[in-house]
Each structure stands twice: as structure tokens, then as C-alpha cells.
Amino acid sequence: METPLYLDHAATTPPLQVALDAFTAAVQSAYANPGSLHQAGAAAARVVERSRRTLQNAFGASSYKVIWTATGTEGNHLGIQGMARAVKNRFAGVTPRILVGAIEHPSSIAAAQALEIEGFKVEMIPVNERGIVTAAVLAPLLGEDVAVVSLQWANNEIGSLNPIAELVSLVKNQAPKAVFHCDAVQAVGKCSTALDQLGADCFAVAAHKLGGVRGCAAFLLRDGGPSPQPLFVGGGHEDGLRSGTENTMGIAAFAAAAKARRELMNVEPDFLATRRSSVLAGLRELFPGLVVLGPETEKEQLGAVLAVAIPGIRAETFLHILESHGVLVGSGSACNTQGHSESAVLAAVGLDKELRNSVLRISFSGYETEADLQHTIQAFAKASASFVS
């Protein structure tokens, strides 16, 4: 049996060969604790620091400090809980508010809601039918009592892109005491815009979404801005912001993958959008009633994600039929362990209830060939025929 075509990269993407090579090299030559004073420890420390610079260059984040973490979830907790606790003393006599997007990743929403027992008030920022937070909607929610605004750059289920630079500017003007945290886990390595241009106070990123290995991530903190209260204390690693021995092998792999993705974007800026457009055109021919979720314009849509509702099918059944025809896709966020529950994202964007169980998410690596794309369309055709019969 041939290896199926994997099109669930928004959930996790297989490690790139360059990442595996970097991981293996670090296992062999940088196995020591980076905090040790001997030569082996110094060699590991050099890998960690070199990788830090590589990540800054790959993400266009020269004005940010890279703090190594383990997961994107941890980064979102640092950016929301860590920052909220750090700036709470700015709000003497008032109840500080935390604003979080209505379709954020569960790790962001849960991190914010957990702060309610510490005296914070949490409010959701609505999105429009394309899954985007607009300045017009955010502006009335802002004020002197806002402590944290947390918004994702790209939505993990439908791929909508928030106008982060515009929203950061708005928050700085209308909520000057607030920290702006951005969950960029789904976007980095897939969007060419430099993080320096977005200007958020901090970002969460993760290796396994762009070809690194799981168990390694980073929190990017703007130079000169506020620092979060650490979630972990101990040995004082990462300038005291994230204690714990560094994952040298994972860090090396993350940096290698990020560099490879930047090089690909430099050569072919539309490498994801072209693949998405090709498959979407084929699906529209197959399914005249196809409903495309998220924005239509490339400026507002992450090219890596194509979320569609196919009337008359049940996504859970259909994706298994697709698998039997050699294509693996997703149906919503793989980070939600309660996969059977209705997606809050689909409800927030106003998708008709009868279509919410018919949504499939196709997500690309950007390395798919034309033959892969045609195979995908053919698999959908075969699955449709099987489903009907």
C-alpha cells in the first residue's frame, strides 16, 4: 500500500529533512547540558544561541528576544497569564480586563478565562463572517482598564488572517496600558510578513507547525517592552523567564526548519496560495454547492489552509473514505481532544448549523507537487461516489 498523501499540516507537519539532520547533529555533538562549564556544555550553548539568531532572521524578528519553550500552548500562557500578572499593578482601583478573540485557539481562551479567579474580567472580541477581527469591532472594547489583548495572526481552523499591525496600533493608541499578545503558531513559516512589522509585544510560535519536531517552541518578546511573570521557576534559564534545561536538539531542528521555510518563501512567495487555489478550483467543479470558509482574498487568507463545507456529507465519515483513497485531511482543530463537539469557530462565523458537521480542513505544507494536487481532487471525486453509493 502506498503512503497516503498527508494534508493535515495545520495539525502538525512532518519534520523536514533539514530539521532531522540538525536534530541528529545536535544529538551527536551538542548532547551536553548548555549550562555546563566544560567544552561539551559550551558546544551545546553555541547551538542554542546560534539557533536563536537563526529564528530571529527567519521570522523577521530582529527587535524580539527569543525565549525557548516547549509548546505553543505554553507561549500563549506566557503571553496572557504571564503578562497579565506582570502588569496588574498598573490597574489599582479598577478591574483589569483581558480581551481575547472569539475564535482563538483553546489554549488562549482557557488561559484567559483561568485568570478570572485572580480578579481579571475576560471579554471576547467578536469576528465577522470571514473570521476576522476588525478595527471597527475592537475599538469600542478598548480603554484604560485593558490589561491584555490576545489575538491570533492566523486561525487554525479556517485560515483567516487578522490585520495584526493595524490592531496593534489601535490598541497602543486607545489602551496604552495594555499588552498585545499574538498567537502566531499557525502563521510563521507560512506568511512572509516580518514580525517586526506587526509590532505586537509578544508572539507564541511552535516548531511542529512548520517542519520542526514536537516538544520545542518559542516565545518572542519585544525589546524594551514589558516582561511576563514566569510560569516556571527554578534554575533561571532564558533570562529567568523559562526555567528548565534547554531542548538543544529540538531547538536546532526548529531553527533549521524555520530557515528552510524562509528560503522557500523568498523563492516562491505564493507557494501555498497557488496550491490552495488549484485544489479549490477542482473541488468547486466536483461540488457545485461547496461552501468555502474564511476570506476569499489572499491578503486575508492563510494559503496553507482550505476549509470547506460539502453539503450532504458527514465530515467524520467522509475523511475516512478519503483516507481509503490515499489522502489524509482534517476536520477542525486537532488540538481539541473533544473532537465530537461542535466547533466554536464555525458558530462564531455564522456557518449554517446543517453544514457544521460537513466541514473538512485541507492544509498544505507547500511542498506538494502538481501530481499530489491532482491526486487530491481525484480522491475527493472517488470518495464522493463512494459516499453517495
Side-chain angles (χ1 to χ4, degrees), residues 331-351:
S331 61
S333 173
C335 297
N336 185 351
T337 58
Q338 298 177 340
H340 60 277
S341 63
E342 182 177 276
S343 165
V345 174
L346 303 183
V349 298
L351 184 68

mmCIF file of all heavy atoms in Angstrom, residues 331-351:
data_model
loop_
_atom_site.group_PDB
_atom_site.id
_atom_site.type_symbol
_atom_site.label_atom_id
_atom_site.label_comp_id
_atom_site.label_asym_id
_atom_site.label_seq_id
_atom_site.Cartn_x
_atom_site.Cartn_y
_atom_site.Cartn_z
ATOM 1 N N SER A 331 -10.615 17.723 10.139
ATOM 2 C CA SER A 331 -11.961 18.311 10.263
ATOM 3 C C SER A 331 -11.990 19.146 11.529
ATOM 4 O O SER A 331 -12.438 18.707 12.577
ATOM 5 C CB SER A 331 -13.044 17.230 10.321
ATOM 6 O OG SER A 331 -12.859 16.388 11.439
ATOM 7 N N GLY A 332 -11.451 20.361 11.442
ATOM 8 C CA GLY A 332 -11.377 21.226 12.602
ATOM 9 C C GLY A 332 -10.038 21.107 13.295
ATOM 10 O O GLY A 332 -9.091 20.534 12.768
ATOM 11 N N SER A 333 -9.969 21.636 14.510
ATOM 12 C CA SER A 333 -8.712 21.682 15.246
ATOM 13 C C SER A 333 -8.390 20.341 15.870
ATOM 14 O O SER A 333 -9.190 19.771 16.595
ATOM 15 C CB SER A 333 -8.785 22.741 16.349
ATOM 16 O OG SER A 333 -7.637 22.681 17.160
ATOM 17 N N ALA A 334 -7.175 19.834 15.593
ATOM 18 C CA ALA A 334 -6.729 18.589 16.206
ATOM 19 C C ALA A 334 -6.290 18.803 17.647
ATOM 20 O O ALA A 334 -6.011 17.849 18.364
ATOM 21 C CB ALA A 334 -5.569 18.006 15.404
ATOM 22 N N CYS A 335 -6.239 20.069 18.098
ATOM 23 C CA CYS A 335 -5.809 20.357 19.463
ATOM 24 C C CYS A 335 -6.953 20.220 20.462
ATOM 25 O O CYS A 335 -6.748 20.295 21.659
ATOM 26 C CB CYS A 335 -5.236 21.769 19.552
ATOM 27 S SG CYS A 335 -3.757 21.991 18.533
ATOM 28 N N ASN A 336 -8.169 20.060 19.949
ATOM 29 C CA ASN A 336 -9.323 19.884 20.823
ATOM 30 C C ASN A 336 -9.568 18.402 20.992
ATOM 31 O O ASN A 336 -9.959 17.709 20.058
ATOM 32 C CB ASN A 336 -10.553 20.571 20.206
ATOM 33 C CG ASN A 336 -11.766 20.521 21.127
ATOM 34 O OD1 ASN A 336 -11.758 19.838 22.146
ATOM 35 N ND2 ASN A 336 -12.808 21.248 20.755
ATOM 36 N N THR A 337 -9.341 17.877 22.193
ATOM 37 C CA THR A 337 -9.487 16.441 22.415
ATOM 38 C C THR A 337 -10.941 16.005 22.340
ATOM 39 O O THR A 337 -11.227 14.829 22.192
ATOM 40 C CB THR A 337 -8.914 16.045 23.785
ATOM 41 O OG1 THR A 337 -9.584 16.780 24.819
ATOM 42 C CG2 THR A 337 -7.428 16.328 23.849
ATOM 43 N N GLN A 338 -11.860 16.951 22.442
ATOM 44 C CA GLN A 338 -13.276 16.617 22.311
ATOM 45 C C GLN A 338 -13.694 16.848 20.864
ATOM 46 O O GLN A 338 -14.488 17.719 20.542
ATOM 47 C CB GLN A 338 -14.116 17.467 23.272
ATOM 48 C CG GLN A 338 -13.753 17.222 24.739
ATOM 49 C CD GLN A 338 -14.523 18.120 25.680
ATOM 50 O OE1 GLN A 338 -15.046 19.157 25.273
ATOM 51 N NE2 GLN A 338 -14.595 17.737 26.938
ATOM 52 N N GLY A 339 -13.146 16.037 19.990
ATOM 53 C CA GLY A 339 -13.358 16.238 18.566
ATOM 54 C C GLY A 339 -14.798 16.137 18.125
ATOM 55 O O GLY A 339 -15.181 16.643 17.075
ATOM 56 N N HIS A 340 -15.619 15.480 18.942
ATOM 57 C CA HIS A 340 -17.013 15.304 18.562
ATOM 58 C C HIS A 340 -17.859 16.542 18.855
ATOM 59 O O HIS A 340 -18.986 16.641 18.394
ATOM 60 C CB HIS A 340 -17.599 14.115 19.332
ATOM 61 C CG HIS A 340 -17.559 14.282 20.818
ATOM 62 N ND1 HIS A 340 -16.443 14.001 21.562
ATOM 63 C CD2 HIS A 340 -18.493 14.745 21.694
ATOM 64 C CE1 HIS A 340 -16.686 14.248 22.845
ATOM 65 N NE2 HIS A 340 -17.921 14.710 22.944
ATOM 66 N N SER A 341 -17.349 17.489 19.646
ATOM 67 C CA SER A 341 -18.124 18.662 19.998
ATOM 68 C C SER A 341 -18.131 19.664 18.855
ATOM 69 O O SER A 341 -17.237 19.685 18.022
ATOM 70 C CB SER A 341 -17.559 19.315 21.268
ATOM 71 O OG SER A 341 -16.253 19.767 21.050
ATOM 72 N N GLU A 342 -19.163 20.504 18.833
ATOM 73 C CA GLU A 342 -19.289 21.476 17.751
ATOM 74 C C GLU A 342 -18.198 22.530 17.852
ATOM 75 O O GLU A 342 -17.856 23.001 18.926
ATOM 76 C CB GLU A 342 -20.663 22.148 17.827
ATOM 77 C CG GLU A 342 -20.906 23.138 16.707
ATOM 78 C CD GLU A 342 -22.295 23.744 16.760
ATOM 79 O OE1 GLU A 342 -23.229 23.110 16.248
ATOM 80 O OE2 GLU A 342 -22.426 24.842 17.321
ATOM 81 N N SER A 343 -17.648 22.912 16.724
ATOM 82 C CA SER A 343 -16.592 23.908 16.686
ATOM 83 C C SER A 343 -17.132 25.288 17.036
ATOM 84 O O SER A 343 -18.094 25.775 16.428
ATOM 85 C CB SER A 343 -15.969 23.942 15.287
ATOM 86 O OG SER A 343 -15.191 25.102 15.121
ATOM 87 N N ALA A 344 -16.480 25.932 17.998
ATOM 88 C CA ALA A 344 -16.855 27.296 18.355
ATOM 89 C C ALA A 344 -16.548 28.258 17.219
ATOM 90 O O ALA A 344 -17.206 29.294 17.065
ATOM 91 C CB ALA A 344 -16.121 27.718 19.621
ATOM 92 N N VAL A 345 -15.546 27.921 16.410
ATOM 93 C CA VAL A 345 -15.178 28.771 15.279
ATOM 94 C C VAL A 345 -16.318 28.831 14.265
ATOM 95 O O VAL A 345 -16.702 29.905 13.795
ATOM 96 C CB VAL A 345 -13.888 28.259 14.610
ATOM 97 C CG1 VAL A 345 -13.593 29.046 13.338
ATOM 98 C CG2 VAL A 345 -12.715 28.341 15.575
ATOM 99 N N LEU A 346 -16.866 27.679 13.927
ATOM 100 C CA LEU A 346 -17.927 27.627 12.928
ATOM 101 C C LEU A 346 -19.174 28.369 13.405
ATOM 102 O O LEU A 346 -19.867 29.003 12.606
ATOM 103 C CB LEU A 346 -18.261 26.173 12.593
ATOM 104 C CG LEU A 346 -17.086 25.319 12.096
ATOM 105 C CD1 LEU A 346 -17.572 23.919 11.717
ATOM 106 C CD2 LEU A 346 -16.383 25.980 10.920
ATOM 107 N N ALA A 347 -19.445 28.283 14.708
ATOM 108 C CA ALA A 347 -20.588 29.015 15.247
ATOM 109 C C ALA A 347 -20.325 30.517 15.212
ATOM 110 O O ALA A 347 -21.203 31.312 14.861
ATOM 111 C CB ALA A 347 -20.877 28.550 16.672
ATOM 112 N N ALA A 348 -19.099 30.914 15.550
ATOM 113 C CA ALA A 348 -18.769 32.339 15.619
ATOM 114 C C ALA A 348 -18.834 33.021 14.263
ATOM 115 O O ALA A 348 -19.171 34.207 14.176
ATOM 116 C CB ALA A 348 -17.380 32.517 16.227
ATOM 117 N N VAL A 349 -18.506 32.293 13.185
ATOM 118 C CA VAL A 349 -18.550 32.901 11.851
ATOM 119 C C VAL A 349 -19.928 32.754 11.214
ATOM 120 O O VAL A 349 -20.130 33.182 10.075
ATOM 121 C CB VAL A 349 -17.465 32.304 10.925
ATOM 122 C CG1 VAL A 349 -16.084 32.573 11.480
ATOM 123 C CG2 VAL A 349 -17.682 30.812 10.682
ATOM 124 N N GLY A 350 -20.862 32.145 11.932
ATOM 125 C CA GLY A 350 -22.238 32.086 11.466
ATOM 126 C C GLY A 350 -22.522 31.051 10.404
ATOM 127 O O GLY A 350 -23.498 31.182 9.652
ATOM 128 N N LEU A 351 -21.722 29.983 10.340
ATOM 129 C CA LEU A 351 -21.997 28.928 9.375
ATOM 130 C C LEU A 351 -23.307 28.234 9.736
ATOM 131 O O LEU A 351 -23.569 27.945 10.906
ATOM 132 C CB LEU A 351 -20.861 27.905 9.362
ATOM 133 C CG LEU A 351 -20.983 26.779 8.322
ATOM 134 C CD1 LEU A 351 -20.833 27.336 6.915
ATOM 135 C CD2 LEU A 351 -19.947 25.693 8.584
#
